[in-house]
Amino acid sequence: MSSLTLLCLPYSGASAMVYSRWRRKLPAWLNLRPVELPGRGARMGESLQTDMQALARQLANEQRLAASQPYALLGHSLGALLAFELAHELRALGCPSPVALFACGTAAPTRREDYDGGNWREPKSDEVLIDELRKLQGTPEEVLANQELMSLTLPVLRADFLLCGRYSYRQRPALHCPLHVLGGEDDRATEEQLLAWRRETLGDFSLETFPGGHFFIHEHEDRVLGVLGATLEPHRLSA
């Protein structure tokens, strides 16, 4: 049976484990490969990164073998920007294009004009970071109140917000892979900001919205995974 590898990039403050439960729900031909970022999970001993381009280049070197076989990229929020940059860095290494890029839960790289209202280019205090987590509604209040858990999470979150806040779009030749955008109806990114992803590829483009806010990928997990499987199956059959 032909198979595809799905490289998944986590969102701010998270480890690759946020995607681990998907293994039980995705079809057997889809090889889920959550990508761990430095400074968390199994890579806890490594330094956190605050430069998106440098991180994407590092990950491209680490994932170039996986990208030598048919693969797709997926990222949510910060992970979507990182997956986009990773696609460009893999191309620079001479790797084949992904069969698809899924950008979930964030505005296109060229439409981030209102994403730095709080000056996220500078490190934020614990209190500001916790307040931001509360606004995103993806972290239970009992977790926010757990000082031990927060002491582990906040340094990662601080670095990840700097990754986004200091992100600078670079004009390059468009990608050639299909680009599929997934968004939450009540999330921050507007339809125009999501549609602007279209200009980043010469391949097919689609936009699908889901009920819910920023973490619709968890709130409507089964539907999201259904979209992934249905979108990727034709690529598996032609691989």
Side-chain angles (χ1 to χ4, degrees):
M1 176 182 290
S2 298
S3 66
L4 283 177
T5 295
L6 178 60
L7 298 170
C8 295
L9 287 303
Y11 44 82
S12 293
S15 80
M17 289 296 291
V18 294
Y19 297 113
S20 60
R21 58 178 281 155
W22 287 11
R23 282 198 175 93
R24 300 194 301 271
K25 297 187 174 185
L26 286 169
W29 53 263
L30 197 47
N31 173 30
L32 182 72
R33 186 183 175 104
V35 177
E36 194 67 274
L37 306 185
R40 67 209 78 195
R43 305 182 69 169
M44 186 74 76
E46 299 179 39
S47 297
L48 291 161
Q49 179 61 266
T50 57
D51 182 316
M52 185 84 75
Q53 185 179 353
L55 178 56
R57 188 174 296 123
Q58 177 184 352
L59 294 177
N61 279 293
E62 294 170 356
Q63 300 298 330
R64 63 190 306 176
L65 183 60
S68 66
Q69 303 295 325
Y71 71 101
L73 293 169
L74 176 144
H76 180 73
S77 196
L78 160 68
L81 286 179
L82 190 51
F84 168 69
E85 290 296 325
L86 178 56
H88 277 286
E89 293 296 336
L90 286 169
R91 180 169 68 178
L93 291 177
C95 296
S97 293
V99 300
L101 169 61
F102 294 93
C104 309
T106 200
T110 56
R111 290 299 310 273
R112 309 193 67 77
E113 62 276 0
D114 61 342
Y115 267 64
D116 200 29
N119 187 22
W120 292 102
R121 295 179 61 83
E122 300 300 326
K124 297 300 182 183
S125 67
D126 289 357
E127 292 75 16
V128 170
L129 292 173
I130 289 173
D131 186 52
E132 188 67 17
L133 285 177
R134 192 172 278 120
K135 289 178 186 175
L136 292 172
Q137 301 180 340
T139 310
E141 199 62 37
E142 57 268 25
V143 173
L144 295 176
N146 186 313
Q147 292 186 356
E148 185 176 358
L149 279 176
M150 285 293 97
S151 70
L152 296 173
T153 301
L154 290 176
V156 176
L157 190 68
R158 183 174 292 110
D160 286 352
F161 278 16
L162 288 174
L163 274 173
C164 288
R166 295 174 177 176
Y167 176 72
S168 179
Y169 178 76
R170 292 173 295 140
Q171 188 72 48
R172 289 156 294 185
L175 298 170
H176 289 83
C177 61
L179 204 165
H180 305 288
V181 176
L182 282 61
E185 292 174 0
D186 301 321
D187 199 4
R188 178 178 185 174
T190 65
E191 183 179 21
E192 291 76 17
Q193 287 175 310
L194 296 174
L195 285 171
W197 278 101
R198 184 196 303 269
R199 71 186 65 172
E200 301 304 329
T201 186
L202 299 176
D204 293 339
F205 176 86
S206 70
L207 168 62
E208 182 149 359
T209 55
F210 298 77
H214 190 59
F215 290 103
F216 66 89
I217 63 165
H218 297 319
E219 296 168 22
H220 301 282
E221 184 175 82
D222 288 345
R223 183 177 157 193
V224 168
L225 296 184
V227 169
L228 296 184
T231 304
L232 290 174
E233 186 159 22
H235 298 289
R236 170 184 74 98
L237 296 175
S238 62

